[in-house]
């Protein structure tokens, strides 16, 4: 049942009443969200919810006795002056590794984004994550009750904190927002596909691009890549928990963004699944983000993009995997051709103005070292870094860079520094400063 506008003023109003949530009772997602309709509590404290504001003197957070849908109770946030980031928050326990929708009804009055470059006004969101339900056209200005939602994954623990929010990171706002009928529900359009080390949360529509047999094959490839990366660095991230991939409808900050789960922009998913189906492509970007997660220790990490690609290359070479990049397929150690092209284009460009010591060129030189040393000295070097006491770990990018190649030289007997020209070293010091 839902909060309902009590009206019997003719067919139009009856239809409107049926379309809106019912008044005075909890929304259907209350098994997951406590007091999502804000009807219970004591004094000025709604049960299950706590106020939070970046600058407390700029915002008033109120449990309203009326003003909700159909005159019911609701929450409000009023911010004045220079704006603020303020929210009502609640921690909820969900099924781990699962896809959910956070929904809420929001009403706004004179909401303005006050921070330059910001776009987010009233919204529902998960704290600790920068995405939210906000649509600038629906969450700013003055507007009547509007449904907003955001999709998300629960992660390994299943514990998330949800928020009814006015403003956001980098987007302080002012005005008044009212919130009602907040709920969390399972996302019916997504399913989970489990491997030994990884799991995928994929939309049913996208999975049509790959046969069940080939999807199982692809998950097995990701499992094998995970095991290879763990072998290289002698570490399993997130305390050995399964690593997830969640396909999100919102932009996570790139093709995909590392973490657990890895958030993968949905517009790219069907293309990758189709490639995995047709050509057994393992997914360059997918393996790259997996590689980022294996830098959880961080002691050697002078450049995250570089190290993610080192682990990507290791897995593809050791397992004979196939990946496509820049419209060209690479198999196994043949991926080195891509790094070589980057090296020639960037590090050895005949035009000095276009020359740089970008990380993909460094990848080529490092793989060239591997051709002499084999992978075993790399494995030993990673283990050396893991064993370093905290007070002996390198603290700057240049210290990390220097110690890794020094230790690799010591353990392999190959002069790793001979691969760099004096000009390279000077430019690398600028790229990875000793501070």
């Amino acid at each position: 049942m839902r909060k309902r506008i009590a009206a019997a003023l003719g067919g139009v109003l009856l239809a409107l009443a049926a379309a809106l949530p019912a008044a005075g009772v909890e929304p259907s997602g209350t098994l997951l969200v406590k007091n999502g309709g804000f009807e219970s509590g004591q004094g000025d404290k709604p049960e299950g919810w706590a106020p939070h504001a970046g600058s407390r003197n700029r915002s008033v957070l109120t449990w309203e006795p009326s003003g909700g849908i159909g005159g019911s109770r609701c929450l409000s946030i009023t911010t004045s002056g220079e704006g603020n980031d303020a929210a009502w928050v609640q921690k909820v326990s969900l099924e781990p590794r699962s896809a959910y929708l956070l929904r809420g009804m929001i009403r706004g009055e004179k909401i303005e984004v006050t921070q330059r470059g910001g776009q987010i006004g009233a919204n529902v969101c998960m704290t600790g994550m920068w995405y939210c339900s906000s649509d600038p056209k629906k969450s700013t200005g003055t507007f009547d009750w509007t449904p907003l939602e955001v999709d998300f994954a629960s992660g390994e623990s299943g514990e998330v904190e949800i928020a009814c929010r006015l403003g956001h990171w980098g987007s302080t706002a002012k005005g008044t927002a009212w919130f009602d009928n907040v709920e969390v529900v399972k996302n019916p359009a997504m399913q989970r596909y489990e491997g030994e080390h990884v799991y995928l949360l994929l939309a049913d529509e996208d999975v049509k691009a790959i046969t069940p047999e080939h999807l199982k094959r692809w998950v097995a490839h990701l499992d094998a890549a995970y095991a290879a990366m763990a072998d290289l660095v002698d570490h399993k991230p997130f305390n050995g928990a399964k690593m997830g991939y969640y396909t999100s409808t919102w932009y996570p900050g790139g093709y995909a963004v590392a973490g657990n789960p890895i958030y993968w922009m949905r517009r790219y998913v069907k293309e990758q699944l189709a490639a995995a189906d047709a050509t057994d492509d393992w997914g360059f970007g997918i393996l790259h983000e997996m590689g980022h997660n294996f830098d959880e220790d961080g002691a050697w990490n002078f450049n995250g993009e570089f190290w993610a690609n080192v682990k990507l290359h290791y897995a593809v070479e050791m397992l004979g995997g196939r990946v496509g990049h820049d419209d060209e397929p690479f198999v196994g150690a043949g991926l080195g051709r891509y790094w070589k092209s980057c090296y020639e284009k960037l590090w050895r460009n005949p035009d000095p103005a276009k020359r740089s010591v970008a990380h993909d060129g460094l990848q080529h030189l490092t793989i060239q070292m591997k051709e002499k040393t084999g992978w075993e000295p790399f494995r030993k070097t990673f283990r050396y870094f893991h064993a370093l006491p905290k007070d002996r770990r390198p603290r700057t990018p240049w210290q990390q860079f220097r110690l890794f190649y020094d230790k690799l030289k010591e353990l392999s007997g190959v002069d790793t520094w001979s691969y760099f020209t004096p000009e390279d070293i000077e430019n690398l010091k600028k790229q990875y400063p000793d501070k």
Side-chain angles (χ1 to χ4, degrees):
M1 295 182 66
R2 312 277 271 171
K3 293 183 181 176
R4 185 181 304 136
I5 292 180
L9 301 178
V12 174
L13 289 180
L14 285 172
L16 177 62
L20 288 172
V25 295
E26 293 301 318
S28 59
T30 51
L31 292 178
L32 304 178
V33 176
K34 189 172 187 177
N35 192 25
F38 314 117
E39 297 302 323
S40 61
Q42 291 186 343
D44 60 354
K45 298 178 181 179
E47 184 181 11
W49 295 88
H52 175 80
S55 298
R56 293 188 178 276
N57 61 341
R58 295 182 187 173
S59 299
V60 177
L61 291 87
T62 306
W63 180 32
E64 301 282 2
S66 61
I69 295 174
S72 64
R73 305 204 72 150
C74 67
L75 298 182
S76 73
I77 303 172
T78 297
T79 299
S80 58
E82 298 177 5
N84 200 7
D85 177 10
W88 287 95
V89 299
Q90 178 181 145
K91 291 182 179 179
V92 296
S93 298
L94 307 174
E95 179 184 338
R97 308 177 195 160
S98 299
Y100 286 92
L101 297 170
L102 169 61
R103 297 169 172 164
M105 298 292 291
I106 304 178
R107 180 165 65 92
E109 183 175 295
K110 298 180 179 179
I111 294 176
E112 298 178 34
V113 175
T114 59
Q115 189 164 353
R116 185 176 181 179
Q119 292 186 311
I120 301 172
N123 64 94
V124 290
C125 68
M126 285 66 62
T127 63
M129 302 179 187
W130 65 267
Y131 54 90
C132 65
S133 68
S134 187
D135 178 336
K137 296 179 181 178
K138 295 181 179 179
S139 65
T140 57
T142 297
F143 53 92
D144 206 349
W145 288 109
T146 301
L148 291 175
E149 73 175 29
V150 61
D151 62 283
F152 70 99
S154 56
E156 186 63 25
S157 71
E159 301 291 326
V160 300
E161 186 175 68
I162 62 173
C164 300
R165 196 165 180 175
L166 179 58
H168 211 274
W169 294 331
S171 188
T172 55
K174 66 180 180 179
T176 300
W178 293 264
F179 303 86
D180 209 348
N181 287 342
V182 174
E183 63 179 358
V184 172
V185 297
K186 277 285 191 74
N187 190 336
M190 301 192 73
Q191 305 298 326
R192 183 173 65 213
Y193 301 86
E194 297 271 0
E196 180 182 357
H197 302 297
V198 305
Y199 67 93
L200 310 175
L201 290 168
L202 302 174
D204 295 337
E205 182 62 29
D206 294 335
V207 173
K208 294 177 182 179
I210 188 170
T211 67
E213 294 79 10
H214 288 173
L215 179 57
K216 185 176 180 179
R217 178 184 69 185
W218 188 50
V219 172
H221 290 331
L222 298 182
D223 273 337
Y226 177 104
M229 293 181 190
D231 170 67
L232 176 63
V233 304
D234 193 33
H235 173 70
K236 292 182 179 180
F238 313 117
N239 295 316
K242 279 190 177 184
M243 191 180 297
Y245 288 87
Y246 173 73
T247 58
S248 62
T249 59
W250 39 268
Y251 179 63
Y255 172 89
V257 175
N260 200 17
I262 294 166
Y263 279 87
W264 183 15
M265 183 65 183
R266 188 179 168 191
R267 73 174 67 170
Y268 304 115
V269 172
K270 187 176 289 187
E271 180 182 9
Q272 172 56 46
L273 293 180
D277 185 67
T279 67
D280 198 20
D281 187 294
W282 291 27
F284 186 102
I286 293 304
L287 296 179
H288 175 88
E289 296 306 320
M290 178 185 287
H292 274 302
N293 281 344
F294 280 88
D295 284 332
E296 189 180 42
D297 180 284
W300 56 77
N301 194 12
F302 57 82
N303 184 300
E305 301 305 311
F306 167 76
W307 285 119
N309 284 336
V310 168
K311 291 181 284 295
L312 154 69
H313 184 99
Y314 178 80
V316 170
E317 178 178 319
M318 297 299 289
L319 300 169
R322 177 188 177 97
V323 293
H325 196 57
D326 289 351
D327 298 321
E328 185 176 354
F330 302 96
V331 178
L335 181 56
R337 298 197 317 274
Y338 174 71
W339 312 123
K340 183 179 180 180
S341 69
C342 294
Y343 173 78
E344 292 171 347
K345 179 180 179 181
L346 299 170
W347 283 53
R348 299 295 177 248
N349 195 298
D351 183 352
K354 296 180 180 179
R355 201 175 297 157
S356 77
V357 288
H359 61 84
D360 284 342
L362 178 61
Q363 182 85 6
H364 167 68
L365 291 181
T366 304
I367 296 303
Q368 290 300 108
M369 296 174 199
K370 185 274 306 178
E371 293 300 312
K372 286 285 188 69
T373 68
W375 282 111
E376 188 57 29
F378 283 82
R379 295 189 189 95
K380 291 180 178 178
T381 302
F382 282 115
R383 284 153 178 76
Y384 166 80
F385 270 82
H386 277 307
L388 279 175
K390 287 187 177 181
D391 61 353
R392 290 183 53 202
R393 291 189 170 201
R395 300 185 182 278
T396 69
W398 180 246
Q399 288 174 8
Q400 292 171 320
F401 186 102
R402 187 179 60 195
L403 181 58
F404 192 92
Y405 288 99
D406 278 347
K407 184 55 63 171
L408 185 62
K409 175 182 177 180
E410 175 188 324
L411 294 172
S412 68
V414 172
D415 184 3
T416 54
W417 293 98
S418 67
Y419 287 78
F420 305 109
T421 69
E423 180 185 357
D424 291 339
I425 293 174
E426 289 306 309
N427 289 329
L428 286 165
K429 287 180 177 179
K430 296 174 184 177
Q431 185 83 0
Y432 307 113
D434 194 15
K435 59 181 180 181

